[in-house]
C-alpha cells in the first residue's frame, strides 16, 4: 500500500510539472490545485517537493512558483538524447532559407506532437511556432504525418480512444479515416490547409528513428503561398530534409 501511494504521489507530481511545461508562467498554490484537481494541501506539498528538487523556483513574494533551472537541464538532456544540436539546426536553417517558410521538427508524445526545433524563413508572414508547443496528433499535417505511419494496432487504438473520448465533428473524423491515412502513406507526406489555424498550410513528412516513425518535419506558412506548384516543391524539399534528419538522428 505504501508503494502504491508513493507511485500515485509521483504520478501526480509529474502531471503537475506538465502544467508548468504546457503553460510556463507563475502558478499560485490554489490555482495549481484547481487545475490539477487536487486539494490545496496536496498541491502545496507537491510544489514544495518540486522546488526542493530544483524543478520549480518560488518567487520572492513566496506566493507563486515557476520553472526552475533543473527543468532547463532536463530539456537539454532530452535534446542530447535525440541528438538535437547545431548541425541539425543548420539543416533546418538551410531548408527555411530555400523555401522562405518556417520549418520545424516535431516529436510524438502520447497523443500530441511537440515542436522541438525550428527555423524561420524570409517570406512575408511567418508562423509563430514556439519550441515546446504541443498540437494534436489527429489534426494538422505535422501530427497526421506521424499518425498515418504508426503500426496498425497502435494507430487504431489511438484513433478509437480519440473518437470515443470526445464529440468529434465529422470533418475531423474524416481526417483520421482509414482511407485518408492510407492516402498519406501512399504519397509519403501530409498536406493540410486550415486544419488547426485559418489561413495556414503545412506540408509534413514522417521522420524515422531506429526504424520507427517518431517524428515529422513540417514546412508551414500562409496558405495563399501554397499553390499547386509550390506544394510540389515543398514536398520534394520535405522528403529530402526527412532523409537528412534520419541520417542525423540515427547517427551513433
Amino acid at each position: 500500500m505504501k508503494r502504491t501511494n508513493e507511485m500515485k504521489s509521483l504520478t501526480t507530481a509529474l502531471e503537475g510539472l506538465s502544467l508548468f511545461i504546457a503553460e510556463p508562467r507563475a502558478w499560485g498554490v490554489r490555482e495549481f490545485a484547481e487545475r490539477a484537481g487536487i486539494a490545496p494541501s496536496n498541491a502545496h506539498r507537491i510544489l514544495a517537493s518540486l522546488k526542493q528538487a530544483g524543478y520549480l523556483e518560488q518567487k520572492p513574494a513566496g506566493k507563486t512558483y515557476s520553472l526552475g533551472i533543473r527543468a532547463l537541464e532536463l530539456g537539454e538532456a532530452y535534446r542530447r538524447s535525440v541528438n538535437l544540436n547545431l548541425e541539425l539546426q543548420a539543416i533546418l536553417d538551410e531548408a527555411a532559407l530555400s523555401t522562405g517558410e518556417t520549418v520545424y521538427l516535431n516529436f510524438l508524445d502520447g497523443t500530441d506532437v511537440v515542436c522541438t526545433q525550428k527555423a524561420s524563413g524570409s517570406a512575408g508572414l511567418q508562423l509563430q511556432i514556439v519550441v515546446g508547443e504541443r498540437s494534436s496528433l489527429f489534426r494538422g499535417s505535422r501530427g497526421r504525418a506521424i499518425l498515418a505511419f504508426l503500426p496498425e494496432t497502435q494507430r487504431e487504438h489511438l484513433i478509437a480512444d480519440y473518437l470515443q473520448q470526445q464529440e468529434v465533428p465529422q470533418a475531423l473524423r474524416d481526417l483520421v479515416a482509414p482511407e485518408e491515412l492510407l492516402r498519406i502513406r501512399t504519397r509519403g507526406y501530409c498536406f493540410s490547409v486550415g486544419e488547426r489555424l485559418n489561413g495556414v498550410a503545412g506540408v509534413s513528412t514522417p521522420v524515422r528513428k531506429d526504424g520507427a516513425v517518431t517524428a515529422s518535419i513540417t514546412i508551414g506558412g500562409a496558405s495563399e503561398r501554397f499553390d499547386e506548384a509550390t506544394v510540389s516543391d515543398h514536398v520534394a524539399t520535405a522528403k529530402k530534409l526527412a532523409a537528412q534528419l534520419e541520417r542525423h538522428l540515427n547517427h551513433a
Side-chain angles (χ1 to χ4, degrees), residues 90-120:
I91 295 173
L92 299 186
D93 288 342
E94 182 179 356
L97 180 64
S98 67
T99 62
E101 303 292 356
T102 304
V103 179
Y104 43 106
L105 176 64
N106 320 279
F107 275 85
L108 175 65
D109 182 27
T111 57
D112 292 336
V113 287
V114 182
C115 173
T116 58
Q117 205 148 345
K118 72 163 191 174
S120 297

Side-chain angles (χ1 to χ4, degrees), residues 6 19 37 41 55 82 85 93 119 125 131 244:
E6 288 176 348
L19 290 179
S41 57
Y55 291 103
V82 294
N85 56 28
D93 288 342
L125 179 66
V131 172
Q244 289 179 282

Side-chain angles (χ1 to χ4, degrees), residues 14-188:
L14 291 174
E15 290 175 347
L17 186 59
S18 295
L19 290 179
F20 285 87
I21 296 172
E23 297 182 39
R25 58 180 177 83
W27 289 75
V29 175
R30 190 167 297 277
E31 180 187 19
F32 176 84
E34 290 176 356
R35 183 68 71 86
I38 58 178
S41 57
N42 290 338
H44 185 271
R45 284 195 295 271
I46 289 170
L47 293 172
S49 295
L50 290 171
K51 174 193 171 186
Q52 185 176 12
Y55 291 103
L56 298 180
E57 60 183 27
Q58 196 169 13
K59 296 301 182 181
K63 295 183 178 181
T64 60
Y65 294 80
S66 60
L67 289 173
I69 193 67
R70 290 299 299 277
L72 173 63
E73 293 174 354
L74 186 61
E76 287 302 311
Y78 173 77
R79 288 169 63 86
R80 291 193 298 273
S81 74
V82 294
N83 204 15
L84 303 181
N85 56 28
L86 294 178
E87 182 182 347
L88 188 150
Q89 186 63 47
I91 295 173
L92 299 186
D93 288 342
E94 182 179 356
L97 180 64
S98 67
T99 62
E101 303 292 356
T102 304
V103 179
Y104 43 106
L105 176 64
N106 320 279
F107 275 85
L108 175 65
D109 182 27
T111 57
D112 292 336
V113 287
V114 182
C115 173
T116 58
Q117 205 148 345
K118 72 163 191 174
S120 297
S122 57
L125 179 66
Q126 291 288 301
L127 290 184
Q128 298 303 306
I129 299 294
V130 179
V131 172
E133 177 180 306
R134 289 175 174 268
S135 65
S136 172
L137 179 65
F138 308 104
R139 60 191 299 188
S141 69
R142 55 174 156 167
R144 294 197 297 127
I146 298 174
L147 178 65
F149 290 88
L150 293 178
E152 183 177 2
T153 301
Q154 180 184 5
R155 182 174 67 247
E156 291 181 349
H157 176 74
L158 288 170
I159 293 173
D161 282 352
Y162 165 63
L163 296 178
Q164 291 173 3
Q165 290 177 5
Q166 52 187 303
E167 294 183 6
V168 181
Q170 188 59 49
L172 297 184
R173 288 175 175 269
D174 291 342
L175 296 179
V176 296
E179 58 271 21
E180 171 61 16
L181 298 180
L182 175 59
R183 186 178 299 113
I184 293 171
R185 290 195 299 277
T186 301
R187 296 185 303 190

